[in-house]
Amino acid sequence: MPYYMLQATYSPQAWSGMVKSPQNRLDAVRPVVEKLGGKIEGGWLAFGEYDIVLVCQLPNNVSAAAFSMAASAGGAVMGVKTTPLMTIDEAMEAMRKASGVDYRPPSS
């Protein structure tokens, strides 16, 4: 099953609610991911552009997009970035395939 990294920025209202009543958001997100046929590998709070990082497995891009849309529609996050991930084995396979392709860059 494909892996995805989801990064999100919480809204000020969401932060206010979590500061007043701390909660493990993975407990709230896990059922959503599972309903889409996926599994959470891990989640982290982060410094920087995004507040939370989630790595999960989902069946396909449609399920990953559905999760991103649902998270955005909930209003607690101001932005979601979804990045498909490849395993090292998949990357090695891609490199082997690329070595057999005769690509010619555009000429000037």
Side-chain angles (χ1 to χ4, degrees):
M1 190 164 6
Y3 288 88
Y4 296 88
M5 175 176 62
L6 295 114
Q7 298 167 276
T9 303
Y10 284 123
S11 69
Q13 295 82 7
W15 273 121
S16 178
M18 288 187 289
V19 167
K20 287 177 185 170
S21 177
Q23 52 192 276
N24 180 342
R25 294 305 299 158
L26 287 181
D27 292 339
V29 170
R30 185 171 281 106
V32 177
V33 171
E34 290 174 353
K35 185 173 184 176
L36 292 168
K39 174 186 169 193
I40 292 178
E41 295 293 319
W44 301 266
L45 283 178
F47 298 120
E49 185 177 352
Y50 296 97
D51 297 319
I52 189 162
V53 176
L54 177 71
V55 174
C56 60
Q57 289 182 290
L58 288 161
N60 50 46
N61 288 341
V62 172
S63 297
F67 178 78
S68 179
M69 290 173 191
S72 294
V77 295
M78 297 186 315
V80 178
K81 178 180 177 183
T82 304
T83 306
L85 302 173
M86 295 176 68
T87 65
I88 297 300
D89 289 340
E90 290 170 327
M92 295 295 295
E93 182 180 347
M95 288 180 232
R96 285 190 286 277
K97 282 186 175 187
S99 70
V101 175
D102 185 25
Y103 173 75
R104 298 177 196 265
S107 57
S108 53

